[in-house]
Amino acid sequence: HDLMAIHCYNAPEDTYAFYPHSVRNIEDLCASIVRSHRETSQHRLEELQALRWKLFSREEIQAYQSKSVDEMWQHCAIRLTDAVQYVVEFAKHIPGFRMLSQNDQIALLKTGSLEVVLVRMSRFFNTENNTVFFDGKFAGSEVFKSLGCGDLIEAVFDFAYGMCALKLTEQQIALFSALVLINADRPCLEDRGRVQRVQRSVELGLTHILHRDNQENLMHKLYQRMAVLRSLCSLHMEKLHWFSQRYPLTAHSLFPPLYKELFV
Ligand code: CLR
């Protein structure tokens, strides 16, 4: 059980964040979430900006395209799992998250971690040529051809493009990611009321930031993005199901344990 690594101890110093009543507490809550996002974001925006024209060569693209289906799935599953691990770290430092039962922490991560990875993908996306930072360079959707799920890849790239169009700041991305994760409507929650209280505090934080930035109109668009995220994740599950029927050996012995635990 790899997710056990998130083993929760009560963190009394977080208690105030359960329901911040004053603006000061809302600001502290936002600051914690933004700090956690920054510390777990893998690459700073300036770094990515500097690399944005580092593209794969024709030969490198061909090498990805001539990988076998299972080889490419395994490769992508490893990359995704790595990204999920950073999201688990991010979650642990959202005030209130560690006060949830271990069951509820795991339930939220199971349904939300891939969604947060996809939100984070927009930071790694170049809209000028529709490429994503992958394996050290920027890759177009053709790089993922050998996975055999072009519709999923197109949908994921479209989503990243749409997220970029919102031009969110790092702080807005941080708060939105926290809101995607802390969702009291997820299945299998033990103490929905408690999750709801944490969710409300994060919602207050996001509202506060959007108000401060004079962008309240974004809230509605962000809720629309959340609906798209759900459909992407169910498409991912569908593809994974198809894949593991076809290649049970790879799915069972070559996928990273955390990937299996979350999705298979
Ligand atoms: C997302 C933001 C993370 C860093 C990161 C790591 C792996 C990347 C991912 C980002 C975006 C989506 C990605 C993934 C590896 C494979 C996956 C490019 C940039 C593509 C869409 C293929 C999905 C294949 C599944 C069907 C297994 O902080």
Side-chain angles (χ1 to χ4, degrees):
H1 212 316
D2 255 16
L3 275 175
M4 286 293 193
I6 66 170
H7 199 83
C8 64
Y9 304 98
N10 282 350
E13 75 277 15
D14 283 359
T15 319
Y16 73 87
F18 255 92
Y19 205 86
H21 292 279
S22 69
V23 175
R24 174 101 199 88
N25 282 348
I26 295 177
E27 277 173 0
D28 288 348
L29 171 86
C30 293
S32 308
I33 294 175
V34 170
R35 189 186 329 114
S36 180
H37 169 74
R38 188 179 349 100
E39 286 169 359
T40 61
S41 63
Q42 292 180 268
H43 290 278
R44 284 178 300 115
L45 276 184
E46 310 84 78
E47 277 168 23
L48 292 163
Q49 199 63 36
L51 292 169
R52 66 194 278 118
W53 297 107
K54 198 173 166 190
L55 301 171
F56 284 114
S57 68
R58 187 161 300 283
E59 293 71 41
E60 288 171 317
I61 296 173
Q62 252 151 28
Y64 281 112
Q65 292 180 336
S66 54
K67 280 184 191 276
S68 63
V69 180
D70 56 331
E71 206 184 347
M72 190 62 180
W73 266 83
Q74 193 200 352
H75 186 79
C76 288
I78 291 170
R79 289 285 169 272
L80 276 176
T81 305
D82 193 44
V84 162
Q85 244 144 5
Y86 284 94
V87 173
V88 173
E89 259 337 282
F90 167 69
K92 286 190 336 198
H93 296 101
I94 298 174
F97 183 82
R98 291 203 288 181
M99 314 287 281
L100 304 174
S101 69
Q102 184 165 304
N103 172 81
D104 289 357
Q105 296 184 15
I106 290 174
L108 292 178
L109 285 166
K110 268 194 174 228
T111 43
S113 56
L114 184 61
E115 295 188 10
V116 174
V117 168
L118 295 175
V119 169
R120 288 176 159 211
M121 178 177 171
S122 61
R123 300 177 68 253
F124 293 74
F125 195 76
N126 182 352
T127 50
E128 287 164 73
N129 56 7
N130 282 305
T131 54
V132 65
F133 191 66
F134 169 75
D135 275 356
K137 291 187 185 175
F138 278 81
S141 57
E142 72 279 9
V143 166
F144 303 97
K145 204 170 121 192
S146 51
L147 290 169
C149 50
D151 51 347
L152 172 63
I153 300 301
E154 288 317 314
V156 165
F157 272 63
D158 282 351
F159 177 79
Y161 190 94
M163 280 302 295
C164 289
L166 299 180
K167 299 210 178 303
L168 303 183
T169 65
E170 283 289 278
Q171 299 188 339
Q172 293 168 347
I173 294 178
L175 269 289
F176 180 55
S177 303
L179 191 60
V180 166
L181 211 52
I182 315 289
N183 182 342
D185 297 330
R186 301 292 195 191
C188 308
L189 292 173
E190 247 164 29
D191 189 348
R192 227 167 264 287
R194 194 178 265 235
V195 177
Q196 206 155 49
R197 286 199 297 279
V198 183
Q199 181 185 329
R200 291 216 180 98
S201 72
V202 177
E203 263 160 358
L204 279 177
L206 182 58
T207 310
H208 175 73
I209 285 213
L210 294 180
H211 178 77
R212 191 200 57 193
D213 299 341
N214 236 313
Q215 291 197 294
E216 275 120 327
N217 59 318
L218 271 180
M219 193 54 120
H220 163 71
K221 293 185 183 157
L222 292 175
Y223 279 109
Q224 286 177 335
R225 297 278 96 197
M226 285 164 93
V228 180
L229 277 173
R230 282 187 198 210
S231 68
L232 287 179
C233 287
S234 59
L235 194 52
H236 169 248
M237 294 308 280
E238 222 176 88
K239 298 299 174 187
L240 181 60
H241 185 75
W242 162 85
F243 176 82
S244 37
Q245 304 245 293
R246 263 225 165 72
Y247 301 92
L249 196 71
T250 305
H252 289 102
S253 34
L254 299 173
F255 276 170
L258 179 58
Y259 186 82
K260 280 192 285 180
E261 188 179 332
L262 286 169
F263 309 119
V264 183

